[in-house]
Amino acid sequence: MPYFIDRRLNPKGKSLANRQRFLRRARTQIREAVQKSLKDSAVADISKERKIKISSKGTREPRFRLDPKTAGERDFVLPGNRDFTPGDEIKKPKSGDGGGHGKDAADYAEGEDDFEFVMSQDEVLDIFFEDLELPNLVRTTLKETPNTVWKRAGITTAGSPTQINLVRTMRNAQGRRLALKRPSLRDIKALEDELDRLEREDPQSEETRAKIVTLKENLARANAKRKWVGFIDPIDVRYNSYTEQPVPTSQAVMFCLMDVSGSMGEREKDLAKRFYMLLHLFLRRRYDRVDIVFIRHTHDAQEVDEQEFFYSRQSGGTIVSTALDKMLEIQRERYTTSDWNIYAAQASDGYTQSGDARRCVEMLNADIMPLCQYYAYIEILDEREMEVFASEDSGAELWRAYRTVAELWPNFATKRISKPADIFPVFRELFKKAESTG
Amino acid sequence: MPNLLFTEAEWDFAALDRTYKAIEEIALGDLKLDVYPNQVEVISSEQMLDAYSSLGMPLMYNHWSFGKLFAREDTLYRAGYTALAYEIVINSSPCISYLLEENTMTMQALVMAHAAFGHNHFFKNNYLFRQWTNAEGILDYLAFAKRYIAACEERHGREEVEAVLDAAHALMDQGVFRYRRPPKPSKERVLEKRRRRAEYEEEAYNELWRTLPAGIEPPATPPTPDDDDGFGGDMKLPEENLLYFLEKHSPTLKAWQRETLRIVRNLAQYFYPQRQTKVMNEGCATFVHHAIMNMMYDRGLITEGSLLEFLHSHTSVVFQPEFSDKRYSGINPYALGFAMMTDIRRIAEAPTAEDRDWFPQLAGSGDWVGALKDAWANYRDESFIEQFLSPKLMRDFRLFALFDKADDEAYTVSAIHNEGGYRKVRSLLARQYDAGASDPNIQVVGANLKGDRKLFLEHHMHRGVPLHHATKDLVLTHIEHLWGHEVAFEEVAD
């Protein structure tokens, strides 16, 4: 008798343990590959699974094998002879053993071969974020002890007397009283009055006496019924129910500040956008809730939606401090520091009205930096400028001004980028482990 | 027709059961097969990938290389480069075969005939499997291996265990007894007992270390009742089974490391017959499913549509591209095995004059069932080809032999499928399937246990073919890890 067994419902992922071992084993290669892959691909694609190609170094499985190509001799048999006769010679293919032994050739090339496989989004991101940590995460309200709040969760039949729901209880009681026809006080009073009136009648007729007897019986019955159909019965009682629910204890707001004046072209905006997206992705993984506020500025700052922020153009001068003003204003209105972690990311091409840089520095030092978890400033240059400003110390007015802020505040970072490939390294450096930034 | 077992492509368990019984009747009645009890399991494609990556076994200890294999198969499968396996069948008693849930009913019938009867018969009857594997014990043993390795990881750390397994895997091809019979994989109970004793010894041994005053060496061999445990003992040199040698004689391995080597060695030994009988095993299964499906059609048990569907997948399985074809990746064992077995039937039933010359005993005997059963039971690929490859088949496959010398610019055609070449082509092809000849011949020739503890290995080159250099060095590092001291390696010309 055969046994048919349906295994389809057995737990899946039997080889998960092996996969984890493999990922750990090839950690170095995978990290390199993931970083390279992230560097080259659009930021929006970060939340997708991706094909990763790693060198087989570290995951080699060597075996002793023969190498007939270097020395010695051998015979082998092949199918599909067309017109060869004994003694014929067949030229050996130049590289690789193509003469029907393609498989061997691949095996022999070990050490060079790459290994390609698909990594899930989570696996990629875990590696991506592995040794990152948001700086200065020591927040008073947050993180380690998740806050909870009591929330209503309907009505129950059991609870403590303090939680009794009077309306519900009384409504139930009344319904029950009606259903069971509990005599009201008024009914009793009416019976008593009637009894009283009849008893006072003089002379009492036969009929009246009979009535009195009936009335007395009715009255007794009504009083008894009032006793056993209580005004409030335990089955009427309802309590308000509450459950403890975690509240998003860690929430962050991310201010995106950008100069949208004419000097910021398509390319600059694109770079800035990638930077914001990366930061956003990162915050989203760390915090339960992340708000984004887009503030664009020319000589005047406005809060706009994302579409406007990236795609609409405005002409005008450049006054950076207006954006900082706007940010402070919004923060005061909507994002109190006790509830929100505040992050700011500013992108600019480095130009501002002369004298404005000094005001920015004052604002940052006095008002903004004390509020912020982190403030990142990226200056987008073109490649040529990048070479000119090879040194950290040289640069436009805003850059030099911000450098002084960076010296005072460890959680203030400034970076220059010029091409998409720069973004990732910048990002890594901005969010290196807390120790290195303070 | 009232006889039909199924008419729909969709399968259900009732249809599987009916079909299984019909197949069984033909397999046992007409083909006179002799099989282990069957256990047929329906699995999903993901589970099939799982099974792939644990060497086709239903359970296996954890190791990163299986994860790597899974990742590779998964990627190829998703990209559509490979289809999933035709079937997976395990040499165990009961014999477990997997059916993929996506298969049509016809495919399920085909797979049951192929795996549950074809492979199953071969496993049960072929002399290599009978002698060298223990079908009843393998699942228990794997369960033990899995538990044992997991316990070692817990106790000694994952990295330690991984290092030993890596090294052992590298030596798997050198971890088999080719000529002398290996000790049977013992039942779990025996091994548990042995493990406990080994653990006790390990602890006692450590105690001894600590209590000895400085400068005094511990005894070279711990007192063990039999030389099966612990290192030392009598070395039988030369030794071709490197894993066995290291397990028994390595001066540095701890008891659990020896047990780990033993597990890998037992697995290697378990799989060794499969490596030597690829053509026969697949040939047998393919021949059996072909015969059964055709008989089912002849008896009106399956529809014409099913027969055509079956033939379609059958022909793609036994397709043999020519050597110059882009799809060529060696001789297809399904094609060669199936062709040879069909040929045996032809020779038995309708021989030509040529067949009478070449196979006087077999030709015209009519008893193809007996002839095939005898071949399945008593041959392996090498001897099977040497014995049964007929000139007609060599012509059909248009086989020819090449001679290759490393320094030459060109290969020389040494023989083709003609009167003068039949015997040579056949011998060379048979040789190609001799696992003993295609694996490098590496032996332990000496070990200096008293002095510097150097281990001496030799590769006896066959026809001057050396080892691949880079991989050799990598494997040697693994051997050094297991031996714990220097390892000398020499390539010796024959």
Side-chain angles (χ1 to χ4, degrees), chain B residues 21-34 117 121 287-288 291-296 298-299 301 345 349 366-373 376:
Chain B
K21 284 188 181 125
I23 294 173
E24 188 177 39
E25 215 178 292
I26 296 174
L28 306 188
D30 296 79
L31 300 177
K32 304 199 170 51
L33 299 185
D34 166 30
F117 291 95
H121 172 84
F287 182 86
V288 166
I292 290 179
M293 293 300 280
N294 274 306
M295 280 190 225
M296 291 218 292
D298 292 343
R299 291 173 195 185
L301 298 175
R345 180 175 180 175
E349 286 184 336
D367 181 21
W368 56 274
V369 172
L372 280 174
K373 281 186 71 177
W376 290 334

mmCIF file of all heavy atoms in Angstrom, chain B residues 21-34 117 121 287-288 291-296 298-299 301 345 349 366-373 376:
data_model
loop_
_atom_site.group_PDB
_atom_site.id
_atom_site.type_symbol
_atom_site.label_atom_id
_atom_site.label_comp_id
_atom_site.label_asym_id
_atom_site.label_seq_id
_atom_site.Cartn_x
_atom_site.Cartn_y
_atom_site.Cartn_z
ATOM 1 N N LYS B 21 -2.104 2.251 -8.016
ATOM 2 C CA LYS B 21 -2.408 0.807 -7.986
ATOM 3 C C LYS B 21 -2.243 0.189 -9.363
ATOM 4 O O LYS B 21 -1.731 -0.927 -9.497
ATOM 5 C CB LYS B 21 -3.822 0.597 -7.446
ATOM 6 C CG LYS B 21 -3.850 0.787 -5.942
ATOM 7 C CD LYS B 21 -5.181 0.411 -5.339
ATOM 8 C CE LYS B 21 -5.152 0.660 -3.837
ATOM 9 N NZ LYS B 21 -6.244 1.526 -3.401
ATOM 10 N N ALA B 22 -2.672 0.931 -10.389
ATOM 11 C CA ALA B 22 -2.527 0.412 -11.747
ATOM 12 C C ALA B 22 -1.054 0.261 -12.119
ATOM 13 O O ALA B 22 -0.638 -0.740 -12.711
ATOM 14 C CB ALA B 22 -3.239 1.338 -12.728
ATOM 15 N N ILE B 23 -0.270 1.279 -11.750
ATOM 16 C CA ILE B 23 1.163 1.228 -12.048
ATOM 17 C C ILE B 23 1.815 0.062 -11.319
ATOM 18 O O ILE B 23 2.624 -0.683 -11.874
ATOM 19 C CB ILE B 23 1.838 2.566 -11.649
ATOM 20 C CG1 ILE B 23 1.323 3.703 -12.527
ATOM 21 C CG2 ILE B 23 3.339 2.459 -11.765
ATOM 22 C CD1 ILE B 23 1.811 5.059 -12.102
ATOM 23 N N GLU B 24 1.416 -0.083 -10.066
ATOM 24 C CA GLU B 24 1.995 -1.139 -9.248
ATOM 25 C C GLU B 24 1.731 -2.508 -9.876
ATOM 26 O O GLU B 24 2.610 -3.376 -9.913
ATOM 27 C CB GLU B 24 1.396 -1.083 -7.837
ATOM 28 C CG GLU B 24 2.055 -2.016 -6.852
ATOM 29 C CD GLU B 24 1.474 -1.866 -5.457
ATOM 30 O OE1 GLU B 24 0.246 -1.683 -5.341
ATOM 31 O OE2 GLU B 24 2.245 -1.913 -4.494
ATOM 32 N N GLU B 25 0.508 -2.675 -10.379
ATOM 33 C CA GLU B 25 0.152 -3.955 -10.975
ATOM 34 C C GLU B 25 1.075 -4.286 -12.147
ATOM 35 O O GLU B 25 1.587 -5.402 -12.257
ATOM 36 C CB GLU B 25 -1.294 -3.863 -11.462
ATOM 37 C CG GLU B 25 -2.077 -5.147 -11.336
ATOM 38 C CD GLU B 25 -3.496 -4.914 -11.806
ATOM 39 O OE1 GLU B 25 -4.216 -4.172 -11.106
ATOM 40 O OE2 GLU B 25 -3.865 -5.431 -12.869
ATOM 41 N N ILE B 26 1.300 -3.272 -12.986
ATOM 42 C CA ILE B 26 2.166 -3.498 -14.145
ATOM 43 C C ILE B 26 3.605 -3.719 -13.704
ATOM 44 O O ILE B 26 4.301 -4.620 -14.169
ATOM 45 C CB ILE B 26 2.086 -2.301 -15.114
ATOM 46 C CG1 ILE B 26 0.673 -2.184 -15.674
ATOM 47 C CG2 ILE B 26 3.082 -2.467 -16.241
ATOM 48 C CD1 ILE B 26 0.439 -0.972 -16.517
ATOM 49 N N ALA B 27 4.058 -2.876 -12.776
ATOM 50 C CA ALA B 27 5.459 -2.925 -12.360
ATOM 51 C C ALA B 27 5.793 -4.269 -11.722
ATOM 52 O O ALA B 27 6.819 -4.878 -12.028
ATOM 53 C CB ALA B 27 5.758 -1.787 -11.393
ATOM 54 N N LEU B 28 4.940 -4.706 -10.829
ATOM 55 C CA LEU B 28 5.240 -5.957 -10.128
ATOM 56 C C LEU B 28 4.836 -7.160 -10.958
ATOM 57 O O LEU B 28 5.526 -8.174 -10.970
ATOM 58 C CB LEU B 28 4.530 -5.987 -8.767
ATOM 59 C CG LEU B 28 4.804 -4.795 -7.856
ATOM 60 C CD1 LEU B 28 4.220 -5.032 -6.474
ATOM 61 C CD2 LEU B 28 6.301 -4.510 -7.747
ATOM 62 N N GLY B 29 3.711 -7.041 -11.690
ATOM 63 C CA GLY B 29 3.220 -8.176 -12.458
ATOM 64 C C GLY B 29 3.974 -8.379 -13.756
ATOM 65 O O GLY B 29 4.558 -9.431 -13.987
ATOM 66 N N ASP B 30 3.998 -7.338 -14.601
ATOM 67 C CA ASP B 30 4.584 -7.523 -15.925
ATOM 68 C C ASP B 30 6.102 -7.378 -15.916
ATOM 69 O O ASP B 30 6.803 -8.123 -16.566
ATOM 70 C CB ASP B 30 3.989 -6.496 -16.895
ATOM 71 C CG ASP B 30 2.512 -6.713 -17.077
ATOM 72 O OD1 ASP B 30 1.739 -6.292 -16.181
ATOM 73 O OD2 ASP B 30 2.128 -7.323 -18.086
ATOM 74 N N LEU B 31 6.588 -6.359 -15.209
ATOM 75 C CA LEU B 31 8.038 -6.125 -15.231
ATOM 76 C C LEU B 31 8.735 -6.889 -14.114
ATOM 77 O O LEU B 31 9.957 -6.904 -14.053
ATOM 78 C CB LEU B 31 8.335 -4.624 -15.106
ATOM 79 C CG LEU B 31 7.751 -3.744 -16.217
ATOM 80 C CD1 LEU B 31 8.052 -2.278 -15.952
ATOM 81 C CD2 LEU B 31 8.335 -4.145 -17.565
ATOM 82 N N LYS B 32 7.973 -7.446 -13.218
ATOM 83 C CA LYS B 32 8.526 -8.246 -12.113
ATOM 84 C C LYS B 32 9.554 -7.464 -11.292
ATOM 85 O O LYS B 32 10.615 -7.982 -10.924
ATOM 86 C CB LYS B 32 9.159 -9.540 -12.641
ATOM 87 C CG LYS B 32 8.169 -10.354 -13.451
ATOM 88 C CD LYS B 32 8.618 -11.783 -13.567
ATOM 89 C CE LYS B 32 7.528 -12.666 -14.156
ATOM 90 N NZ LYS B 32 6.946 -12.142 -15.421
ATOM 91 N N LEU B 33 9.238 -6.210 -11.041
ATOM 92 C CA LEU B 33 10.151 -5.395 -10.236
ATOM 93 C C LEU B 33 10.018 -5.769 -8.769
ATOM 94 O O LEU B 33 9.008 -6.319 -8.338
ATOM 95 C CB LEU B 33 9.840 -3.897 -10.404
ATOM 96 C CG LEU B 33 9.970 -3.357 -11.819
ATOM 97 C CD1 LEU B 33 9.763 -1.846 -11.828
ATOM 98 C CD2 LEU B 33 11.346 -3.685 -12.391
ATOM 99 N N ASP B 34 11.054 -5.433 -8.033
ATOM 100 C CA ASP B 34 11.103 -5.764 -6.618
ATOM 101 C C ASP B 34 11.459 -4.477 -5.887
ATOM 102 O O ASP B 34 12.563 -3.964 -6.046
ATOM 103 C CB ASP B 34 12.178 -6.837 -6.421
ATOM 104 C CG ASP B 34 12.538 -7.001 -4.959
ATOM 105 O OD1 ASP B 34 11.665 -6.775 -4.114
ATOM 106 O OD2 ASP B 34 13.710 -7.346 -4.678
ATOM 107 N N PHE B 117 8.903 3.310 -8.767
ATOM 108 C CA PHE B 117 9.172 1.943 -9.203
ATOM 109 C C PHE B 117 10.521 1.799 -9.881
ATOM 110 O O PHE B 117 11.290 0.897 -9.565
ATOM 111 C CB PHE B 117 8.022 1.444 -10.079
ATOM 112 C CG PHE B 117 6.785 1.244 -9.256
ATOM 113 C CD1 PHE B 117 5.825 2.238 -9.175
ATOM 114 C CD2 PHE B 117 6.638 0.112 -8.481
ATOM 115 C CE1 PHE B 117 4.719 2.082 -8.364
ATOM 116 C CE2 PHE B 117 5.535 -0.050 -7.670
ATOM 117 C CZ PHE B 117 4.579 0.930 -7.611
ATOM 118 N N HIS B 121 13.327 0.206 -7.586
ATOM 119 C CA HIS B 121 13.825 -1.127 -7.903
ATOM 120 C C HIS B 121 15.341 -1.128 -7.971
ATOM 121 O O HIS B 121 16.011 -2.027 -7.454
ATOM 122 C CB HIS B 121 13.249 -1.597 -9.238
ATOM 123 C CG HIS B 121 13.867 -2.872 -9.726
ATOM 124 N ND1 HIS B 121 13.433 -4.103 -9.315
ATOM 125 C CD2 HIS B 121 14.916 -3.102 -10.564
ATOM 126 C CE1 HIS B 121 14.178 -5.049 -9.889
ATOM 127 N NE2 HIS B 121 15.086 -4.461 -10.655
ATOM 128 N N PHE B 287 13.458 3.744 -18.467
ATOM 129 C CA PHE B 287 12.938 2.573 -19.169
ATOM 130 C C PHE B 287 11.637 2.094 -18.519
ATOM 131 O O PHE B 287 10.651 1.800 -19.201
ATOM 132 C CB PHE B 287 13.980 1.454 -19.150
ATOM 133 C CG PHE B 287 13.537 0.238 -19.893
ATOM 134 C CD1 PHE B 287 13.740 0.127 -21.255
ATOM 135 C CD2 PHE B 287 12.888 -0.796 -19.245
ATOM 136 C CE1 PHE B 287 13.315 -0.982 -21.956
ATOM 137 C CE2 PHE B 287 12.450 -1.908 -19.945
ATOM 138 C CZ PHE B 287 12.663 -2.006 -21.301
ATOM 139 N N VAL B 288 11.648 2.047 -17.202
ATOM 140 C CA VAL B 288 10.467 1.561 -16.481
ATOM 141 C C VAL B 288 9.271 2.478 -16.723
ATOM 142 O O VAL B 288 8.175 2.014 -17.026
ATOM 143 C CB VAL B 288 10.773 1.433 -14.975
ATOM 144 C CG1 VAL B 288 9.495 1.261 -14.182
ATOM 145 C CG2 VAL B 288 11.712 0.263 -14.725
ATOM 146 N N ALA B 291 7.974 1.974 -20.281
ATOM 147 C CA ALA B 291 7.254 0.713 -20.444
ATOM 148 C C ALA B 291 5.884 0.794 -19.788
ATOM 149 O O ALA B 291 4.859 0.408 -20.373
ATOM 150 C CB ALA B 291 8.076 -0.421 -19.849
ATOM 151 N N ILE B 292 5.862 1.307 -18.563
ATOM 152 C CA ILE B 292 4.592 1.331 -17.818
ATOM 153 C C ILE B 292 3.574 2.241 -18.484
ATOM 154 O O ILE B 292 2.404 1.880 -18.664
ATOM 155 C CB ILE B 292 4.844 1.771 -16.353
ATOM 156 C CG1 ILE B 292 5.584 0.656 -15.622
ATOM 157 C CG2 ILE B 292 3.530 2.093 -15.665
ATOM 158 C CD1 ILE B 292 5.913 0.987 -14.185
ATOM 159 N N MET B 293 4.011 3.438 -18.897
ATOM 160 C CA MET B 293 3.058 4.379 -19.490
ATOM 161 C C MET B 293 2.487 3.798 -20.783
ATOM 162 O O MET B 293 1.293 3.922 -21.066
ATOM 163 C CB MET B 293 3.723 5.726 -19.767
ATOM 164 C CG MET B 293 4.132 6.507 -18.529
ATOM 165 S SD MET B 293 2.770 6.933 -17.421
ATOM 166 C CE MET B 293 2.066 8.356 -18.231
ATOM 167 N N ASN B 294 3.338 3.159 -21.558
ATOM 168 C CA ASN B 294 2.839 2.577 -22.806
ATOM 169 C C ASN B 294 1.863 1.445 -22.543
ATOM 170 O O ASN B 294 0.840 1.317 -23.219
ATOM 171 C CB ASN B 294 4.020 2.087 -23.656
ATOM 172 C CG ASN B 294 4.574 3.224 -24.505
ATOM 173 O OD1 ASN B 294 3.841 3.859 -25.248
ATOM 174 N ND2 ASN B 294 5.851 3.514 -24.334
ATOM 175 N N MET B 295 2.175 0.615 -21.541
ATOM 176 C CA MET B 295 1.261 -0.476 -21.229
ATOM 177 C C MET B 295 -0.069 0.060 -20.721
ATOM 178 O O MET B 295 -1.130 -0.490 -21.012
ATOM 179 C CB MET B 295 1.878 -1.398 -20.183
ATOM 180 C CG MET B 295 2.890 -2.362 -20.797
ATOM 181 S SD MET B 295 3.342 -3.602 -19.577
ATOM 182 C CE MET B 295 5.094 -3.637 -19.791
ATOM 183 N N MET B 296 0.012 1.140 -19.953
ATOM 184 C CA MET B 296 -1.244 1.721 -19.457
ATOM 185 C C MET B 296 -2.091 2.206 -20.616
ATOM 186 O O MET B 296 -3.315 2.064 -20.611
ATOM 187 C CB MET B 296 -0.954 2.883 -18.494
ATOM 188 C CG MET B 296 -0.329 2.403 -17.191
ATOM 189 S SD MET B 296 -0.903 3.298 -15.746
ATOM 190 C CE MET B 296 -0.228 4.877 -16.020
ATOM 191 N N ASP B 298 -1.938 0.993 -23.697
ATOM 192 C CA ASP B 298 -2.401 -0.197 -24.416
ATOM 193 C C ASP B 298 -3.621 -0.808 -23.731
ATOM 194 O O ASP B 298 -4.486 -1.375 -24.386
ATOM 195 C CB ASP B 298 -1.282 -1.246 -24.484
ATOM 196 C CG ASP B 298 -0.138 -0.787 -25.371
ATOM 197 O OD1 ASP B 298 -0.362 0.160 -26.165
ATOM 198 O OD2 ASP B 298 0.972 -1.339 -25.271
ATOM 199 N N ARG B 299 -3.655 -0.720 -22.433
ATOM 200 C CA ARG B 299 -4.786 -1.329 -21.721
ATOM 201 C C ARG B 299 -5.955 -0.364 -21.542
ATOM 202 O O ARG B 299 -6.877 -0.637 -20.766
ATOM 203 C CB ARG B 299 -4.317 -1.809 -20.346
ATOM 204 C CG ARG B 299 -3.373 -2.985 -20.502
ATOM 205 C CD ARG B 299 -2.730 -3.409 -19.241
ATOM 206 N NE ARG B 299 -1.598 -4.279 -19.598
ATOM 207 C CZ ARG B 299 -0.855 -4.907 -18.719
ATOM 208 N NH1 ARG B 299 -1.117 -4.784 -17.426
ATOM 209 N NH2 ARG B 299 0.151 -5.658 -19.110
ATOM 210 N N LEU B 301 -6.003 2.513 -20.051
ATOM 211 C CA LEU B 301 -6.100 3.146 -18.732
ATOM 212 C C LEU B 301 -5.869 4.650 -18.795
ATOM 213 O O LEU B 301 -6.277 5.380 -17.902
ATOM 214 C CB LEU B 301 -5.072 2.512 -17.788
ATOM 215 C CG LEU B 301 -5.262 1.016 -17.524
ATOM 216 C CD1 LEU B 301 -4.131 0.466 -16.690
ATOM 217 C CD2 LEU B 301 -6.590 0.786 -16.813
ATOM 218 N N ARG B 345 16.408 -4.883 -24.906
ATOM 219 C CA ARG B 345 15.129 -5.495 -25.214
ATOM 220 C C ARG B 345 15.047 -5.864 -26.703
ATOM 221 O O ARG B 345 14.612 -6.955 -27.073
ATOM 222 C CB ARG B 345 13.994 -4.520 -24.858
ATOM 223 C CG ARG B 345 12.637 -5.094 -25.149
ATOM 224 C CD ARG B 345 11.534 -4.170 -24.683
ATOM 225 N NE ARG B 345 10.231 -4.765 -24.984
ATOM 226 C CZ ARG B 345 9.085 -4.241 -24.603
ATOM 227 N NH1 ARG B 345 9.059 -3.126 -23.903
ATOM 228 N NH2 ARG B 345 7.956 -4.833 -24.912
ATOM 229 N N GLU B 349 14.654 -9.543 -28.348
ATOM 230 C CA GLU B 349 13.434 -9.888 -29.084
ATOM 231 C C GLU B 349 13.652 -10.010 -30.587
ATOM 232 O O GLU B 349 13.100 -10.908 -31.221
ATOM 233 C CB GLU B 349 12.352 -8.824 -28.818
ATOM 234 C CG GLU B 349 11.753 -8.951 -27.436
ATOM 235 C CD GLU B 349 10.622 -7.968 -27.203
ATOM 236 O OE1 GLU B 349 10.584 -6.922 -27.885
ATOM 237 O OE2 GLU B 349 9.790 -8.250 -26.329
ATOM 238 N N GLY B 366 14.700 -13.655 -25.986
ATOM 239 C CA GLY B 366 13.312 -13.282 -25.711
ATOM 240 C C GLY B 366 13.065 -12.822 -24.287
ATOM 241 O O GLY B 366 12.095 -12.135 -24.011
ATOM 242 N N ASP B 367 13.947 -13.181 -23.384
ATOM 243 C CA ASP B 367 13.708 -12.841 -21.970
ATOM 244 C C ASP B 367 14.347 -11.504 -21.641
ATOM 245 O O ASP B 367 15.311 -11.417 -20.902
ATOM 246 C CB ASP B 367 14.284 -13.943 -21.082
ATOM 247 C CG ASP B 367 14.043 -13.653 -19.612
ATOM 248 O OD1 ASP B 367 13.128 -12.859 -19.301
ATOM 249 O OD2 ASP B 367 14.793 -14.193 -18.775
ATOM 250 N N TRP B 368 13.769 -10.438 -22.181
ATOM 251 C CA TRP B 368 14.383 -9.132 -21.917
ATOM 252 C C TRP B 368 14.188 -8.700 -20.472
ATOM 253 O O TRP B 368 15.026 -8.024 -19.892
ATOM 254 C CB TRP B 368 13.862 -8.078 -22.890
ATOM 255 C CG TRP B 368 12.370 -7.921 -22.923
ATOM 256 C CD1 TRP B 368 11.495 -8.634 -23.667
ATOM 257 C CD2 TRP B 368 11.586 -7.000 -22.161
ATOM 258 N NE1 TRP B 368 10.208 -8.217 -23.438
ATOM 259 C CE2 TRP B 368 10.231 -7.206 -22.518
ATOM 260 C CE3 TRP B 368 11.890 -6.013 -21.230
ATOM 261 C CZ2 TRP B 368 9.186 -6.475 -21.966
ATOM 262 C CZ3 TRP B 368 10.857 -5.275 -20.686
ATOM 263 C CH2 TRP B 368 9.521 -5.514 -21.042
ATOM 264 N N VAL B 369 13.085 -9.100 -19.862
ATOM 265 C CA VAL B 369 12.868 -8.711 -18.469
ATOM 266 C C VAL B 369 13.970 -9.294 -17.591
ATOM 267 O O VAL B 369 14.585 -8.599 -16.775
ATOM 268 C CB VAL B 369 11.477 -9.179 -17.980
ATOM 269 C CG1 VAL B 369 11.345 -8.948 -16.484
ATOM 270 C CG2 VAL B 369 10.377 -8.468 -18.737
ATOM 271 N N GLY B 370 14.252 -10.570 -17.819
ATOM 272 C CA GLY B 370 15.302 -11.218 -17.032
ATOM 273 C C GLY B 370 16.658 -10.574 -17.278
ATOM 274 O O GLY B 370 17.420 -10.323 -16.342
ATOM 275 N N ALA B 371 16.943 -10.313 -18.569
ATOM 276 C CA ALA B 371 18.246 -9.734 -18.912
ATOM 277 C C ALA B 371 18.425 -8.376 -18.253
ATOM 278 O O ALA B 371 19.483 -8.075 -17.683
ATOM 279 C CB ALA B 371 18.367 -9.609 -20.425
ATOM 280 N N LEU B 372 17.365 -7.567 -18.308
ATOM 281 C CA LEU B 372 17.473 -6.238 -17.724
ATOM 282 C C LEU B 372 17.616 -6.321 -16.204
ATOM 283 O O LEU B 372 18.422 -5.603 -15.597
ATOM 284 C CB LEU B 372 16.235 -5.399 -18.082
ATOM 285 C CG LEU B 372 16.251 -4.777 -19.473
ATOM 286 C CD1 LEU B 372 14.930 -4.109 -19.772
ATOM 287 C CD2 LEU B 372 17.385 -3.763 -19.566
ATOM 288 N N LYS B 373 16.821 -7.197 -15.610
ATOM 289 C CA LYS B 373 16.907 -7.303 -14.149
ATOM 290 C C LYS B 373 18.294 -7.734 -13.714
ATOM 291 O O LYS B 373 18.821 -7.270 -12.700
ATOM 292 C CB LYS B 373 15.840 -8.273 -13.623
ATOM 293 C CG LYS B 373 14.461 -7.628 -13.553
ATOM 294 C CD LYS B 373 13.446 -8.521 -12.902
ATOM 295 C CE LYS B 373 13.704 -8.644 -11.403
ATOM 296 N NZ LYS B 373 12.665 -9.470 -10.766
ATOM 297 N N TRP B 376 20.536 -4.650 -14.119
ATOM 298 C CA TRP B 376 20.284 -3.665 -13.062
ATOM 299 C C TRP B 376 20.891 -4.106 -11.742
ATOM 300 O O TRP B 376 21.357 -3.299 -10.949
ATOM 301 C CB TRP B 376 18.773 -3.460 -12.885
ATOM 302 C CG TRP B 376 18.141 -2.743 -14.035
ATOM 303 C CD1 TRP B 376 18.753 -1.880 -14.891
ATOM 304 C CD2 TRP B 376 16.788 -2.834 -14.465
ATOM 305 N NE1 TRP B 376 17.866 -1.427 -15.829
ATOM 306 C CE2 TRP B 376 16.641 -1.985 -15.588
ATOM 307 C CE3 TRP B 376 15.668 -3.533 -14.006
ATOM 308 C CZ2 TRP B 376 15.440 -1.820 -16.265
ATOM 309 C CZ3 TRP B 376 14.454 -3.368 -14.678
ATOM 310 C CH2 TRP B 376 14.345 -2.526 -15.801
#
